[in-house]
Amino acid sequence: MRIFFYFLIIFLTGCSTKINLADYRPVYAPKNENAPKKLNAEIKKISLVKFPKYYYRSLYLNEIATNDLLNSLENLKFVKVLRVIDETKIKDEIKAAEISKETDDNIGVDYLLKGKIISSTYTPHYHKGYYYYVKYKGKKIRKYSPPYYSYTACTQISLDIYTLPEFIIKNSLTANGCAYYSDTSSISRYYPELIIKSVKKTIENLTASLKTFFAPKGYIYEIRTDGDDLIAKITLGRNQGIQEDTKLNVYRLKKDKITNEVEKIKIGEAKVSNLIFDNSCWVVLDLDENIKPQIGDMVIPSFNSSFWDLFR
C-alpha cells in the first residue's frame, strides 16, 4: 500500500497543471484565418419532445423519463432547453427555427431531441438455501445460507438528435440502465421504485453521451511560454462546465480547397490549469511535434471519466 501511494504522489506531481502566470511571457502567434470572427463559445438551444406514453405496472415511465432528461439537460451549462413540447408541435419548432435563421432572433432552437422507451423489464430470481462449512479453531462448523429473492429491473431508451430547421437526424443514441435489489422474503415481490431507478440510470447514461455530443467549442486567444511549456487562454470557463484538469482536444481549422468547407484537424491536446474564470481559463498545451499554436485554434472538452472517478 505504501508503494502505491509513493507512485501516486509521483504521478500527481508529474501531471500537475497548477501554473503561476507571472512565470510566463506572451508569445506572438498568427491568427487562423479560418477561425470565426467572434470567438465566444455558443450555447446550444434545444427543444425536448415529450416521450410517448409507456405504461408499465402502474407507472407512467414516459413522464419519469421526460422529467429526468429535462433535469439532466438543465444541469449542463452549455445547453439551454427553451421548450418541452408535444410531438404535434414539431412543425412549429421547424418554422420557428427557419424564422430565427432569417431574422437572427432567438425564438428558434438549434436541436430537437425526440426519444422513446424501447422496453422495461422486471425479473425476480429465486435463490435456494444451502449448507456450507467453515473452519474455526481446527473444526468444521456447519452453517446455513437462507433462501432469498433477487430482483433486476432494466430499461432501454433510444434518443434521436435532430438539427433544425433542416429536421435531419444528426445522431441516434441508445442506452440501457438496470437497478438491483434482494430480500429474504419467501415469496416474490414487486418493487416499483426499482423500475424508476432503472429509468433514471438509463437517462444518466444517455446524458453522458449528450454531454460529449454538445461539448462546447472554444478558441485560443492568448498564448504564453516559460521557455519550455506553452499555455493558452481559451474562451471556455466555469459557465461552460470547465473544471481543473479537464482534458481538451485541440484542432486547426482549415478550408477545403474543393468544397470550400472549413474542416477541423486535431493537432494535439490540452489540460485545464488552476486558473479558471467565468468564461475563460488557462490550459497547458501538448501539441503534436513541430506544431505551433495559432490564435483561433479550436478546443473541445473531452467529458469522459477522469482519473479521480476511480476514488468515487
Side-chain angles (χ1 to χ4, degrees), residues 173-294:
L173 306 173
T174 302
N176 300 280
C178 294
Y180 309 93
Y181 186 67
S182 64
D183 62 23
T184 56
S185 172
S186 59
I187 58 172
S188 176
R189 293 181 175 178
Y190 171 54
Y191 294 96
E193 62 270 21
L194 213 57
I195 294 289
I196 295 173
K197 285 182 180 179
S198 74
V199 174
K200 291 180 178 293
K201 181 62 179 177
T202 307
I203 293 297
E204 182 182 320
N205 294 336
L206 270 179
T207 303
S209 298
L210 290 171
K211 195 173 182 181
T212 299
F213 180 84
F214 288 117
K217 297 174 183 177
Y219 300 90
I220 291 174
Y221 69 96
E222 187 177 344
I223 303 166
R224 296 191 182 193
T225 184
D226 64 353
D228 296 314
D229 296 326
L230 281 170
I231 62 173
K233 197 172 189 181
I234 65 173
T235 59
L236 299 175
R238 294 190 194 95
N239 290 342
Q240 292 76 40
I242 296 298
Q243 299 176 347
E244 185 174 352
D245 290 331
T246 297
K247 292 182 180 179
L248 308 99
N249 293 317
V250 185
Y251 299 92
R252 177 66 42 81
L253 300 177
K254 289 189 175 182
K255 185 174 288 187
D256 187 284
K257 294 181 180 179
I258 299 175
T259 63
N260 213 32
E261 293 182 355
V262 176
E263 302 175 339
K264 64 179 191 290
I265 300 170
K266 186 176 178 180
I267 59 172
E269 297 177 348
K271 207 170 188 182
V272 177
S273 73
N274 55 307
L275 301 179
I276 308 172
F277 314 100
D278 286 345
N279 295 297
S280 64
C281 70
W282 285 93
V283 301
V284 179
L285 295 174
D286 182 17
L287 303 183
D288 295 344
E289 190 175 358
N290 298 324
I291 295 292
K292 294 183 179 180
Q294 295 181 357

Side-chain angles (χ1 to χ4, degrees), residues 2-13:
R2 289 183 180 178
I3 294 175
F4 170 77
F5 282 107
Y6 173 74
F7 283 108
L8 180 60
I9 292 171
I10 294 176
F11 173 82
L12 294 177
T13 303

Side-chain angles (χ1 to χ4, degrees), residues 39-298:
L39 299 181
N40 297 332
E42 295 182 0
I43 293 179
K44 314 289 196 310
K45 295 178 293 181
I46 295 172
S47 280
L48 173 62
V49 181
K50 294 177 183 177
F51 280 72
K53 183 179 178 181
Y54 193 98
Y55 187 75
Y56 185 86
R57 298 182 72 169
S58 77
L59 296 171
Y60 286 98
L61 299 187
N62 54 297
E63 295 178 359
I64 297 170
T66 300
N67 291 333
D68 272 26
L69 183 54
L70 175 61
N71 291 334
S72 296
L73 290 169
E74 288 179 339
N75 286 331
L76 298 182
K77 296 183 178 181
F78 41 86
V79 300
K80 184 177 181 180
V81 181
L82 292 192
R83 288 175 288 276
V84 179
I85 65 170
D86 293 318
E87 189 171 358
T88 56
K89 299 294 183 181
I90 290 179
K91 289 184 179 180
D92 294 339
E93 287 298 318
I94 296 172
K95 186 64 178 178
E98 290 173 345
I99 294 172
S100 289
K101 194 172 183 179
E102 294 171 357
T103 62
D104 201 30
D105 62 24
N106 293 317
I107 65 170
V109 298
D110 307 303
Y111 296 92
L112 183 140
L113 305 187
K114 184 174 179 289
K116 67 177 181 180
I117 298 174
I118 298 173
S119 65
S120 192
T121 60
Y122 183 87
T123 308
H125 181 67
Y126 179 71
H127 302 262
K128 292 181 179 180
Y130 61 92
Y131 289 97
Y132 64 98
Y133 292 90
V134 296
K135 283 188 176 181
Y136 180 72
K137 294 183 178 181
K139 295 181 180 181
K140 280 188 175 181
I141 300 176
R142 189 187 191 199
K143 291 197 171 186
Y144 179 66
S145 179
Y148 68 97
Y149 268 95
S150 64
Y151 307 89
T152 303
C154 292
T155 298
Q156 185 179 47
I157 293 176
S158 66
L159 186 72
D160 291 330
I161 305 173
Y162 293 83
T163 58
L164 293 185
E166 302 84 3
F167 197 57
I168 297 173
I169 295 179
K170 189 70 174 179
N171 202 354
S172 293
L173 306 173
T174 302
N176 300 280
C178 294
Y180 309 93
Y181 186 67
S182 64
D183 62 23
T184 56
S185 172
S186 59
I187 58 172
S188 176
R189 293 181 175 178
Y190 171 54
Y191 294 96
E193 62 270 21
L194 213 57
I195 294 289
I196 295 173
K197 285 182 180 179
S198 74
V199 174
K200 291 180 178 293
K201 181 62 179 177
T202 307
I203 293 297
E204 182 182 320
N205 294 336
L206 270 179
T207 303
S209 298
L210 290 171
K211 195 173 182 181
T212 299
F213 180 84
F214 288 117
K217 297 174 183 177
Y219 300 90
I220 291 174
Y221 69 96
E222 187 177 344
I223 303 166
R224 296 191 182 193
T225 184
D226 64 353
D228 296 314
D229 296 326
L230 281 170
I231 62 173
K233 197 172 189 181
I234 65 173
T235 59
L236 299 175
R238 294 190 194 95
N239 290 342
Q240 292 76 40
I242 296 298
Q243 299 176 347
E244 185 174 352
D245 290 331
T246 297
K247 292 182 180 179
L248 308 99
N249 293 317
V250 185
Y251 299 92
R252 177 66 42 81
L253 300 177
K254 289 189 175 182
K255 185 174 288 187
D256 187 284
K257 294 181 180 179
I258 299 175
T259 63
N260 213 32
E261 293 182 355
V262 176
E263 302 175 339
K264 64 179 191 290
I265 300 170
K266 186 176 178 180
I267 59 172
E269 297 177 348
K271 207 170 188 182
V272 177
S273 73
N274 55 307
L275 301 179
I276 308 172
F277 314 100
D278 286 345
N279 295 297
S280 64
C281 70
W282 285 93
V283 301
V284 179
L285 295 174
D286 182 17
L287 303 183
D288 295 344
E289 190 175 358
N290 298 324
I291 295 292
K292 294 183 179 180
Q294 295 181 357
I295 303 300
D297 280 341
M298 180 186 289

Side-chain angles (χ1 to χ4, degrees), residues 295-310:
I295 303 300
D297 280 341
M298 180 186 289
V299 290
I300 301 178
S302 177
F303 291 117
N304 296 323
S305 297
S306 69
F307 171 78
W308 294 109
D309 291 336
L310 297 172

